[in-house]
Amino acid sequence: MIKTIAFDADDTLWHNECLYAETKRKLANLLSAYRAPEYTIQLLDRTEIHNLQYYGYGIKSFALSMIETAIEVTDGTIQGHELEAIIDYTKDTLSADVQLIPGAEQTVSELSGEYKLIMITKGDLFEQDRKVKLSGLADYFEHIEIVSDKSSAGYLGLLEKHRIKPREFLMVGNSLRSDILPVVAIGAQAVYIPYPDTWEHENTIEESFDETSFYRIGTIDQLPDLIRHLEKS
Amino acid sequence: MIKTIAFDADDTLWHNECLYAETKRKLANLLSAYRAPEYTIQLLDRTEIHNLQYYGYGIKSFALSMIETAIEVTDGTIQGHELEAIIDYTKDTLSADVQLIPGAEQTVSELSGEYKLIMITKGDLFEQDRKVKLSGLADYFEHIEIVSDKSSAGYLGLLEKHRIKPREFLMVGNSLRSDILPVVAIGAQAVYIPYPDTWEHENTIEESFDETSFYRIGTIDQLPDLIRHLEKS
């Protein structure tokens, strides 16, 4: 019996990765006189992943990786106006509107009547705070947890803090790495809603995993039906 | 009667601002062929404060402001190796050891026997998580709250969440703006421990305030005595 449903936010409740994808394209264009766009995008991806250990997630981390990439792509000859363009992309991304995923508000509104809802989102506190406020969804959730990373130990800590039993907990998200596998590993349930543009890092899983250990739906508006079905069986 | 004591962390429990000050000096030196160090430091301060609205607090925000400052100081002629130096300063600062303030551990250890302790720290989640872990102090605290900003409304929200009455709450910190005045404003008590290098922004208060509405001590090891004294009177 499910009592608490937790939602990831970025690319589960609102669009996020498309902002990064657009900014990557802008950077690749900006530097296209130095290197082919594909080269820049690949180098940026590698730089971002390498820098996670120093910077963590979020747009400011991404901005610092863009600058590092631009230095390398231009062989150290980057110009002031090109750097300024990167700073502008960063501020634009940080100030962008929050675009809800179609069906997200209707779904959380419907489920909030019957279940305790929690939002568990990974990333930069300042950036996520802002998006939570702009989303208009905060009031549907009993708790909003912004964490710097999502691991099984982290989920166990959150469940303990809120006195939730793993078998009464269901997590919904678009990242196998962050939302699904660590939740299944602690004996809770998880619903995977793939998002077309998910950053590869979030779904590159080195170990094999059991595809039948979690549920998968195509869009968030299918969630209430799935949950009704689970509760009956 | 005090039941809960909350501690700020940066420059209250561990040194922090000195890392920023050192990095500012390094940047000013790096760019000293273009402009006098004082000019660079002043411009960086202004850029940082202007950028708080986009970036919030923390080292990554500071790094982006350093880069913006460097573009301006060099009139757009900044060199690749200079940018690389700034990225290196940033990663060094993000990886720096946590140096406890003398007496901090002894004080929280002593008080944790009699009071419920909370850590309330403002800044970047990823950076603060790391410092909390490295500090070795986490186990003295019942809750660790990392927030993106500290306001009276924010304190009221935290107190409500943990079911703490303002008159049973005492906050300890080095920032008038963040730790002291918003706490006094909600009817709780506050102890100000000035830190010599506190960032000016934290203690520049535009309105006048009542210096007798909070307590002030010179060093953290004087806190247990002050609290015993308050409990008696």
Side-chain angles (χ1 to χ4, degrees):
Chain A
M1 191 188 155
I2 299 157
K3 290 189 178 167
T4 304
I5 302 174
F7 287 83
D8 169 54
D10 285 344
D11 298 324
T12 297
L13 296 174
W14 53 70
H15 293 284
N16 174 63
E17 190 56 32
C18 55
L19 290 172
Y20 284 83
E22 194 193 327
T23 309
K24 282 181 196 184
R25 279 192 296 272
K26 285 186 190 166
L27 181 78
N29 267 339
L30 178 75
L31 304 176
S32 61
Y34 302 93
R35 285 284 198 161
E38 300 69 37
Y39 178 90
T40 301
I41 286 176
Q42 275 177 23
L43 180 60
L44 175 57
D45 274 338
R46 279 208 305 277
T47 308
E48 257 191 287
I49 288 168
H50 173 76
N51 281 339
L52 278 179
Q53 58 183 317
Y54 298 105
Y55 299 152
Y57 295 91
I59 297 165
K60 295 184 296 258
S61 308
F62 179 68
L64 290 167
S65 290
M66 281 201 287
I67 291 168
E68 208 175 310
T69 302
I71 300 170
E72 197 168 330
V73 165
T74 64
D75 217 359
T77 65
I78 184 159
Q79 304 294 302
H81 69 90
E82 290 162 341
L83 281 167
E84 275 166 352
I86 297 174
I87 302 265
D88 286 346
Y89 303 159
T90 303
K91 289 184 179 171
D92 288 349
T93 313
L94 286 165
S95 317
D97 284 346
V98 171
Q99 308 275 3
L100 295 185
I101 302 274
E105 176 150 21
Q106 168 67 26
T107 302
V108 294
S109 162
E110 185 177 338
L111 292 171
S112 68
E114 279 183 76
Y115 299 92
K116 183 164 128 176
L117 303 190
I118 302 184
M119 192 189 297
I120 306 179
T121 167
K122 178 180 77 174
D124 183 90
L125 182 60
F126 181 81
E127 295 167 26
Q128 300 297 47
D129 263 355
R130 177 185 160 275
K131 290 190 279 187
V132 168
K133 276 192 199 93
L134 288 179
S135 74
L137 299 181
D139 288 347
Y140 296 114
F141 293 87
E142 266 190 55
H143 306 286
I144 293 176
E145 296 285 350
I146 301 172
V147 298
S148 61
D149 207 359
K150 286 176 173 174
S151 63
S152 289
Y155 281 106
L156 275 178
L158 283 180
L159 265 56
E160 202 179 316
K161 175 171 150 190
H162 296 299
R163 294 158 205 266
I164 299 165
K165 299 189 184 104
R167 62 190 164 79
E168 296 173 349
F169 178 77
L170 180 141
M171 176 79 193
V172 181
N174 73 303
S175 165
L176 290 174
R177 171 196 290 271
S178 300
D179 305 317
I180 308 301
L181 300 180
V183 169
V184 169
I186 62 166
Q189 302 187 71
V191 178
Y192 176 44
I193 314 180
Y195 179 86
D197 278 336
T198 296
W199 186 28
E200 219 185 304
H201 169 68
E202 290 299 335
N203 285 322
T204 310
I205 310 296
E206 274 132 39
E207 303 92 60
S208 67
F209 59 88
D210 177 5
E211 287 256 11
T212 65
S213 65
F214 54 87
Y215 306 97
R216 175 198 280 253
I217 53 179
T219 51
I220 195 168
D221 56 3
Q222 299 166 341
L223 186 63
D225 271 352
L226 171 68
I227 289 173
R228 270 190 289 273
H229 178 80
L230 294 178
E231 294 278 48
K232 265 193 236 148
S233 60
Chain B
M1 189 187 154
I2 299 156
K3 289 190 178 167
T4 304
I5 301 174
F7 287 83
D8 168 56
D10 284 344
D11 298 325
T12 297
L13 297 175
W14 54 70
H15 293 286
N16 174 62
E17 189 56 31
C18 55
L19 290 172
Y20 284 83
E22 194 193 327
T23 310
K24 282 180 195 184
R25 278 193 297 272
K26 284 188 191 164
L27 180 77
N29 267 338
L30 178 75
L31 304 176
S32 61
Y34 302 93
R35 286 282 200 162
E38 301 70 34
Y39 178 91
T40 301
I41 286 177
Q42 275 178 25
L43 180 61
L44 174 58
D45 274 337
R46 279 208 305 277
T47 308
E48 258 191 285
I49 288 169
H50 173 75
N51 281 340
L52 279 179
Q53 60 185 314
Y54 297 105
Y55 299 152
Y57 296 91
I59 296 165
K60 294 184 295 260
S61 308
F62 180 67
L64 290 168
S65 290
M66 281 201 287
I67 291 169
E68 207 175 312
T69 302
I71 300 170
E72 195 169 331
V73 165
T74 63
D75 218 358
T77 64
I78 185 159
Q79 304 293 304
H81 69 90
E82 291 162 340
L83 280 168
E84 275 166 352
I86 297 173
I87 302 264
D88 286 346
Y89 304 159
T90 303
K91 289 183 178 171
D92 288 348
T93 313
L94 286 166
S95 317
D97 284 346
V98 172
Q99 308 275 2
L100 294 185
I101 302 274
E105 176 150 22
Q106 168 67 27
T107 301
V108 295
S109 162
E110 187 177 336
L111 292 171
S112 68
E114 278 182 77
Y115 299 92
K116 184 165 130 175
L117 302 190
I118 302 184
M119 192 189 297
I120 306 180
T121 169
K122 178 182 76 176
D124 182 90
L125 183 61
F126 181 82
E127 295 168 26
Q128 299 298 48
D129 263 356
R130 175 185 163 273
K131 290 191 280 186
V132 168
K133 277 192 199 94
L134 288 179
S135 74
L137 299 180
D139 287 345
Y140 296 114
F141 294 87
E142 265 190 54
H143 306 287
I144 294 176
E145 296 284 351
I146 301 172
V147 297
S148 61
D149 206 359
K150 286 177 172 172
S151 62
S152 289
Y155 281 107
L156 275 178
L158 283 180
L159 265 56
E160 201 179 316
K161 176 171 150 190
H162 296 300
R163 293 159 207 262
I164 299 166
K165 299 189 183 103
R167 62 190 163 77
E168 296 173 349
F169 179 76
L170 181 141
M171 175 80 194
V172 182
N174 74 304
S175 164
L176 289 174
R177 171 194 291 269
S178 300
D179 305 318
I180 308 302
L181 300 181
V183 169
V184 168
I186 62 166
Q189 301 187 71
V191 178
Y192 176 44
I193 313 180
Y195 180 86
D197 277 335
T198 297
W199 186 26
E200 220 185 304
H201 170 69
E202 291 299 335
N203 285 320
T204 309
I205 310 296
E206 275 132 38
E207 303 92 58
S208 66
F209 59 88
D210 177 5
E211 286 255 11
T212 64
S213 65
F214 55 87
Y215 307 98
R216 175 199 282 253
I217 54 179
T219 51
I220 196 168
D221 56 3
Q222 298 165 341
L223 187 63
D225 271 352
L226 171 68
I227 289 172
R228 270 190 289 274
H229 179 79
L230 294 178
E231 294 279 48
K232 267 194 234 147
S233 60

